[in-house]
Amino acid sequence: MGTAAAVAMMMRKEQDIVRAFQRRDVTDAARAVTLESVDVHAGVALRRLQRQAVIRAVGDDRYYLDEPSLAANRWTRRLTLSLVLLVMMELILIAFLMFAPHA
């Protein structure tokens, strides 16, 4: 499996976890539930979301979705993607200007 496919699968698993918590409206510490009750299994995707503070533990193996952290995480991803695309466009423009035949 290629790197792009692995990244896409990881993002899909993260989205599935977020949706599972959203469907059950587990969006604050008072509503925290066990992973089993939202049909989420521990794995790399869950650990990544926990490291990013999107999924938070409150003790007794109960978790909830921190929506402000999710929004901040999505904003950061979009900003990063935008910056990467901007740099790529600039590099293409520079290459075009440097190597295009001049009349």
Side-chain angles (χ1 to χ4, degrees):
M1 171 181 351
T3 303
V7 169
M9 276 182 45
M10 179 62 63
M11 290 181 73
R12 174 63 190 254
K13 287 179 183 180
E14 289 177 5
Q15 289 173 351
D16 290 345
I17 292 169
V18 167
R19 284 191 194 109
F21 279 86
Q22 287 173 329
R23 274 194 306 273
R24 290 165 182 86
D25 198 29
V26 184
T27 56
D28 61 45
R31 296 178 184 169
V33 296
T34 63
L35 295 177
E36 292 80 23
S37 67
V38 289
D39 198 29
V40 169
H41 305 286
V44 175
L46 178 65
R47 284 192 300 274
R48 280 177 42 94
L49 290 170
Q50 285 181 288
R51 268 197 320 271
Q52 297 164 357
V54 172
I55 301 294
R56 295 188 182 253
V58 295
D60 298 329
D61 290 327
R62 295 178 327 127
Y63 301 84
Y64 73 97
L65 172 67
D66 186 330
E67 289 190 314
S69 289
L70 175 63
N73 183 281
R74 286 181 174 166
W75 184 86
T76 301
R77 282 185 181 180
R78 286 185 184 124
L79 178 63
T80 302
L81 178 60
S82 297
L83 292 174
V84 167
L85 290 175
L86 181 63
V87 168
M88 288 175 57
M89 288 179 2
E90 288 176 355
L91 291 174
I92 290 169
L93 179 61
I94 289 168
F96 176 76
L97 293 174
M98 287 179 64
F99 300 111
H102 299 294

